[in-house]
Amino acid sequence: MKPMDDVLLVIDVQNDFMPGGALAVPHGDEVVPAINALASQFAHVVVTQDWHPAAHVSFADNHPGRQPFETVALPYGEQVLWPAHCVQNTHGAALHADLHIPHAQALIRKGYQVDVDSYSAFLESDRKTPTGLAGYLRDKGVRRVHCVGLATDFCVAWSALDAKAAGFDVSVIEHACRAIDLDGSLAKAWASLTAAGVSRD
Ligand code: VGL
Ligand code: ZN
């Protein structure tokens, strides 16, 4: 069993990111057994949930004339437009039913503000609003953050980079992640992670 200063951060293992879901990640369901096995080795587990209002700024439907996977300029920078996904209190936003982590200790919801996205579990996409996760982990004496889940090139990568910037030792456990890979985003994500000193496990 890993000590309490290691945390497993389980990112966005939600129905809408599974095959057949609103924003399906190819082979996204394969992370579930991998994460269950890892979680049994961690005393400390934190789970995240992408959690958008129906009118969310990241949904293509809320930008007349725009299509999913286009980008738009928002006040805080470029935003990819996604199919509507992980709407608060829907089945799509629920965690995968087979995810089995009864000992998970905290659940961080993100992207709940109508006009700001949040790929990262630490900082919203305006790059200044904290979710509170860094403070929680520091209060708990965490030193090492191990990231798993969906999607490698968006929420996992942004969370890992922000964890590193917040002063934690960080690893991404590759076999327990799957990617969207939009226009080379997966290769770019790994390059940024490696350059930042995040270990690829
Ligand atoms: C995610 C795109 C939009 C993710 C969330 O969990 O990686 N990607 N919202
Ligand atoms: Zn989202």
Side-chain angles (χ1 to χ4, degrees):
M1 188 66 87
K2 301 253 201 266
M4 283 300 279
D5 59 352
D6 280 273
V7 74
L8 184 69
L9 182 60
V10 177
I11 298 164
D12 297 0
V13 183
Q14 294 168 263
N15 293 323
D16 272 342
F17 297 125
M18 299 298 155
L23 177 42
V25 177
H27 305 282
D29 52 335
E30 293 171 7
V31 304
V32 175
I35 291 173
N36 287 342
L38 282 165
S40 70
Q41 299 163 28
F42 279 81
H44 196 177
V45 182
V46 172
V47 174
T48 74
Q49 203 172 17
D50 210 39
W51 195 251
H52 302 309
H56 196 246
V57 69
S58 78
F59 296 173
D61 288 349
N62 295 325
H63 298 260
R66 297 306 191 111
Q67 297 302 313
F69 309 110
E70 291 179 9
T71 55
V72 286
L74 293 183
Y76 57 75
E78 284 240 307
Q79 171 71 52
V80 179
L81 296 179
W82 303 105
H85 64 279
C86 297
V87 173
Q88 294 166 358
N89 274 337
T90 62
H91 173 77
L95 298 174
H96 190 293
D98 297 336
L99 193 66
H100 183 70
I101 320 179
H103 56 296
Q105 289 141 38
L107 172 69
I108 290 283
R109 287 174 167 166
K110 58 186 182 63
Y112 51 78
Q113 295 202 77
V114 75
D115 53 0
V116 188
D117 204 0
S118 190
Y119 297 146
S120 165
F122 291 88
L123 266 191
E124 296 187 15
S125 297
D126 61 8
R127 310 310 295 146
K128 54 186 190 217
T129 309
T131 63
L133 180 57
Y136 168 86
L137 294 176
R138 277 189 208 114
D139 271 2
K140 292 287 191 182
V142 168
R143 289 147 49 108
R144 288 172 297 280
V145 178
H146 305 265
C147 301
V148 295
L150 305 171
T152 323
D153 41 347
F154 288 92
C155 292
V156 174
W158 285 54
S159 297
L161 291 169
D162 284 352
K164 184 75 188 175
F168 300 101
D169 279 350
V170 185
S171 76
V172 171
I173 305 175
E174 189 172 12
H175 82 274
C177 300
R178 293 293 182 277
I180 295 173
D181 204 10
L182 189 63
D183 300 326
S185 55
L186 182 58
K188 269 188 227 153
W190 280 120
S192 308
L193 290 163
T194 303
V198 171
S199 79
R200 181 174 185 168
D201 288 347

